Amino acid sequence: MALVALLLAATGVAASAAGWDPRVTFDVVRLGLFDPPEDVFAAVMFHYATLPRIVVSLVAGASLGLAGAAMQAVLRNPLASPTTLGVSAGAQFALALSALAGPAATVLPREAWSLAGALAATGLVYLIGRRTGFEPARLALAGMAITLFLSAASAALILFNEQQLAFLFLWGSGHLAQSDWTSATILLAAFAVALAALIAASRAIGLLAVGDQLAASVGLKTETARLAVLLLAVALTACVVTRIGVVGFVGLAIPAIVRLCRPRSVARSLLASAVLGGLALFAADALAQLSSELTGRLVPAGAVTALFGAPVLFVLLSRTRLAARPHQPAGHADGRFHDAGPGLLVGLAAGLLVVAAAALMIGRTGAGWELLAPSGDGALFLARLPRVVGALLAGAAIALSGLLVQKIVGNDLASPELLGISNGAAAGIVFAALFLGVLSRTALLLSGIVGAIGATLLVLWFARRHRDQIAAVLLAGIALGVFLDSIIRIALATASMQAAALLTWLSGSSVLVSLPEVLGLGLVLAATVAVVLAFRRPVALLDLGAEVPLALGLKVRAVQTGMLALAALLASAATMVIGPLSFVGLLAPHLARALRARRLAVQVAATLLLGAIVMTLSDFVGRVAMAPWQVPGGLVAGLVGSLGFILLTSRRKAAGAGA
């Protein structure tokens, strides 16, 4: 542990020295330490900008490390952190709302708004975790759902209030620039109070880390103690988010490093997490400043923390044992097999035709609702056709991808975005547009394919190395997705003119869809459906776990790898045409099962139709709900889908989670 601290400190000092301004001499530093003379500009800058930034980096990093260590201990979850539990996203969304409220929001300080949002998000994650026995993988998935919902809501606010919320691009990636000692003073006070309280409660934290039964046997009120510790951690995180923005991975990676060093007590673990967290953010900020100076582009500290945090999470996952099948698929507990008849598919097909016809024929302008006349509005019909068909096919493709992912990992709370595919495609397109100057849509699509393939190969490599822990592959995808999302935020923060257009695409927009792209997506979808149906028996056997198919002679690993490749292809193709889509791939298979589509062929058909209905309807609602402004259909689907995910997760009982 001492070696890690020394390495981080040396990195920070070396990066600071490399980027040191030669005008800041020893005399300037001496004059700027306490009360700098106003006629020495360098001393004033050192006192009011450099020193507060160093203090803020150390204290904010220590606060995040301390908060992450406390969360992981009381929840007994090595994957808990301010980022994965929705704390940062909740605080960020609340601050965005307060910024839009204007003078009315000034009745409360920013910290109060941030705390309210963080508490709301974390409280929801806690309630879900309580119902599922705080099972690590499920709790992380619930936190991801809430984070994505709040991120989608924040993106919607930015789209319609770009000028007022432009600061979220940079601030959302963690920027530590200071102009006075206000933030440093507030963070120091909050950290001191939280550290003292958590050290005093270290015995209770240690008992909760061992288990509720042991803690209750010695008279500890486990629920009260856990809530009190979480409240402290959330309040500390909210204070950090208010002052410097969202800094990812410090609260997750640093406690993981400390845990690998096996500290002798809870108090030492908390102190070590705080010390290493402070040094980590100090080093990251020093490297960010050096990178900004060398490249001429502003690099927030959150970028650097993501760069080292994602690999640490991968190492953590490789050392963490997770249940490969958190629960058995629903619907077979009573020993009877109920399957939907052909009437289900006929009804869904009819519903899709109605939704598609409405999307094609109905519009809304400032004058009110309008019905397209086929004889006189042929040009408008042809303009809408690629958009509607593109949304329809993209929804079907991402839905089938979700079904395949759920079959592969044996977890019906899985979805394609957990593989990091959408984020990989988005990263490829953003970097091509911003740094290579690529403007043609074809070139952007090719760049996105490269990014999606790279993300998929990385997750497949991880899956191959952890053959007995398929559920861990989901969390590896989360790590990769958060990593890529952080990089995208940095890129957008430095691209003022192109950021709005890219943000629209990242929200899942069908505005620019062309007929050739639609035809290409249709061919990919048709070919994939044919392959899945040709291998329907091996895919269906995956529902029985690993042992039974192996006993029947099935090459389980080969089937899982092949289906994962198909799922990646479908998700990549949909992302290329529409943009990243969230939770359509989760909801459609769930709805199909709820409608008693059990046999694989029927389940595939129902899932395709439901995914197409959800995405087509979302795109239609986004087009007409706030006319003449348009909300990207992917954003509407993400908002609705993440809410559905939260409801589905909250219905799971602890017994089911522990199966």
Side-chain angles (χ1 to χ4, degrees), residues 350-364 369-373 377 380-392 510 612-624 630 633:
L352 178 59
L353 288 175
V354 171
V355 171
L360 283 171
M361 306 299 294
I362 298 176
R364 185 183 176 192
W369 294 92
E370 293 183 351
L371 184 64
L372 186 148
D377 297 318
L380 183 58
F381 178 85
L382 292 176
R384 284 182 185 172
L385 184 62
R387 176 172 183 173
V388 173
V389 178
L392 185 154
S510 62
I613 291 172
V614 169
M615 192 58 213
T616 305
L617 186 60
S618 297
D619 188 68
F620 173 63
V621 170
R623 177 164 58 87
V624 302
Q630 297 193 25

Side-chain angles (χ1 to χ4, degrees), residues 213-242:
Q213 291 184 348
L214 177 61
S217 67
V218 297
L220 180 67
K221 295 182 179 180
T222 57
E223 195 74 12
T224 302
R226 182 179 290 110
L227 285 173
V229 172
L230 286 177
L231 180 60
L232 272 173
V234 170
L236 187 58
T237 302
C239 187
V240 173
V241 171
T242 303

Side-chain angles (χ1 to χ4, degrees), residues 263-289:
R264 296 183 179 180
S265 66
V266 173
R268 289 188 179 184
S269 177
L270 295 173
L271 286 172
S273 297
V275 171
L276 290 185
L279 292 175
L281 190 53
F282 167 68
D285 187 49
L287 289 171
Q289 292 183 71

Side-chain angles (χ1 to χ4, degrees), residues 163-209:
Q163 297 298 323
Q164 293 173 272
L165 300 179
F167 71 95
L168 285 180
F169 283 121
L170 181 59
W171 177 86
S173 300
H175 190 48
L176 275 65
Q178 303 295 313
S179 59
D180 55 36
W181 284 88
T182 303
S183 295
T185 304
I186 293 174
L187 289 176
L188 270 172
F191 173 72
V193 172
L195 179 62
L198 290 174
I199 293 297
S202 59
R203 180 176 178 272
I205 295 173
L207 290 172
L208 289 172

Side-chain angles (χ1 to χ4, degrees), residues 488-500:
I488 292 171
R489 281 178 174 273
I490 298 156
L492 291 178
T494 61
S496 58
M497 296 302 294
Q498 296 169 287

